[in-house]
Amino acid sequence: KLAFTAGKLYLKELNGQTLSFTNPIETEANKSYCINVTIKFKGFHFLYNDGAIGRLNDPAMAGKTPIAIVVKENDGTPNSGLAMALNELHGYGWTSNYGGFYEHTKQCYTSEEQEQDFDGYNYTYNPSYSRYGIAHSADPNFPAFQAVANYEPAVGSLKAEFKKGHWFMPSSGEWFLMATNTGFGERFSPSYMDCHRYYALISKALTQAGGVDIWAEPGPYKGYWSSTEVDSWALGSVSTTKTTIDVNKAYGFKGSATSSTYTRPFIHF
C-alpha cells in the first residue's frame, strides 16, 4: 500500500490518501525502490436530457444527450444540484433601464457578499426579488433574463423540468462555484481565479459534449452576465481569458437592451 503524506491533485489534498497494488511486490530492508504511479482524471459529470448524471462515453449513458456540465452535485435534497448549460446566448443587455436605480430588492456590495450570493433563480423568476414586483423573466426591460428563461437545449427528447422556464441567469456566487468546482480555479484576489493548470480540461469537456467553450478565443476577453446587482449603477459580471476567470463586482453597466456580453444559462437538478 502506498500512502501520500503531502501534495494536491486537481486542488484536492492527497495527504492521507492511499493506493493499494493488485500485484504486491516484496521489499527488502535498507533498499530503495522507484514506483511509477499514473493517476488519471476520469472526467466531468454531465446532466443528460432525461435527468441522468454521468460522464461522457459512459456506456450507461448510451442513447442520452448531455445538456449541461455539473457544477455542484445533488446532495439528496431536491434541486440542490447545479449545472451550467453547454451553450450560451449573446446580444442581450442585462437591463434597458438606465442606471441610478436599484433593480433588485437585494444588493451585494462586497466581493464576500457576492461570493455567498446563490440567488440566481430568484433574481430570474421570483417577483419579490424585483423592485417592480414583476419577475425579470417576465419583464421586457430585462432582455438577458427573458432570453435565459426561454432557453431550451435543442435535443429531441427533454425532461419537462429542463425545458423553457427553468434555466436561469447565475449569480456571482454560482459563478464562483463553477470557477472552483469545475474550472479548478485558484484564488489570486477576492474575485480573480487562476485556472491555468486545468482550463484545458473543461474546454475539452464542453466541446466534446457538443457545447461552447467558456474561455476567450480568439479575443483576449469574453464577458458573461451575473444576475447579482452590486449597486444602483454596477452589475455583477464575469470575464474570462484563456486561463483565468474574474468574477468582477463592478464590470457590467445598465441602460442597454443589447450587449456584447454573453449569457450562460444555469439550472438546478
Side-chain angles (χ1 to χ4, degrees):
K1 180 181 289 186
L2 175 66
F4 291 94
T5 58
K8 285 185 178 181
L9 186 66
Y10 302 113
L11 304 188
K12 302 294 184 182
E13 292 287 349
L14 292 178
N15 184 30
Q17 301 296 319
T18 60
L19 291 175
S20 297
F21 299 96
T22 55
N23 298 316
I25 56 175
E26 293 185 5
T27 59
E28 297 180 25
N30 301 318
K31 288 191 175 182
S32 61
Y33 298 86
C34 179
I35 301 175
N36 292 321
V37 178
T38 301
I39 302 176
K40 295 182 178 180
F41 178 63
K42 286 186 176 181
F44 296 98
H45 280 161
F46 287 84
L47 175 65
Y48 283 78
N49 60 307
D50 64 347
I53 302 294
R55 296 184 176 91
L56 294 180
N57 302 320
D58 183 342
M61 299 297 112
K64 307 176 190 295
T65 305
I67 60 172
I69 190 167
V70 172
V71 171
K72 176 180 177 291
E73 298 282 355
N74 185 294
D75 61 11
T77 304
N79 295 318
S80 60
L82 182 67
M84 180 179 74
L86 298 181
N87 294 297
E88 57 196 23
L89 306 167
H90 185 244
Y92 300 96
W94 199 94
T95 181
S96 57
N97 296 330
Y98 287 102
F101 297 96
Y102 293 114
E103 307 299 338
H104 294 338
T105 55
K106 170 188 173 183
Q107 286 74 43
C108 298
Y109 300 101
T110 67
S111 294
E112 291 75 19
E113 290 175 316
Q114 293 154 29
E115 187 170 354
Q116 296 303 313
D117 182 18
F118 304 107
D119 277 320
Y121 185 90
N122 284 321
Y123 294 138
T124 306
Y125 293 107
N126 192 331
S128 69
Y129 277 69
S130 167
R131 80 177 183 94
Y132 306 100
I134 304 171
H136 289 346
S137 60
D139 189 335
N141 292 312
F142 295 87
F145 287 89
Q146 283 201 316
V148 77
N150 284 310
Y151 175 78
E152 184 173 301
V155 297
S157 175
L158 189 64
K159 199 172 181 180
E161 50 263 48
F162 303 145
K163 293 185 176 182
K164 295 178 182 179
H166 295 87
W167 299 83
F168 60 89
M169 188 191 294
S171 63
S172 293
E174 287 154 341
W175 271 114
F176 269 110
L177 283 179
M178 194 289 300
T180 304
N181 296 352
T182 313
F184 301 111
E186 298 176 272
R187 189 185 301 278
F188 272 25
S189 75
S191 70
Y192 183 80
M193 307 289 281
D194 188 340
C195 305
H196 75 278
R197 292 187 184 182
Y198 305 113
Y199 78 92
L201 291 175
I202 187 172
S203 294
K204 184 177 181 180
L206 288 169
T207 54
Q208 283 187 336
V212 178
D213 197 352
I214 65 167
W215 308 115
E217 183 66 40
Y221 298 99
K222 189 175 182 181
Y224 287 94
W225 289 125
S226 157
S227 56
T228 297
E229 184 177 42
V230 179
D231 56 37
S232 60
W233 291 96
L235 309 168
S237 59
V238 175
S239 61
T240 68
T241 68
K242 193 60 182 175
T243 59
T244 64
I245 181 166
D246 189 359
V247 186
N248 193 309
K249 67 179 181 180
Y251 171 79
F253 298 95
K254 305 173 183 178
S256 178
T258 61
S259 174
S260 60
T261 301
Y262 290 81
T263 304
R264 193 79 170 209
F266 278 46
I267 197 164
H268 289 299
F269 64 91

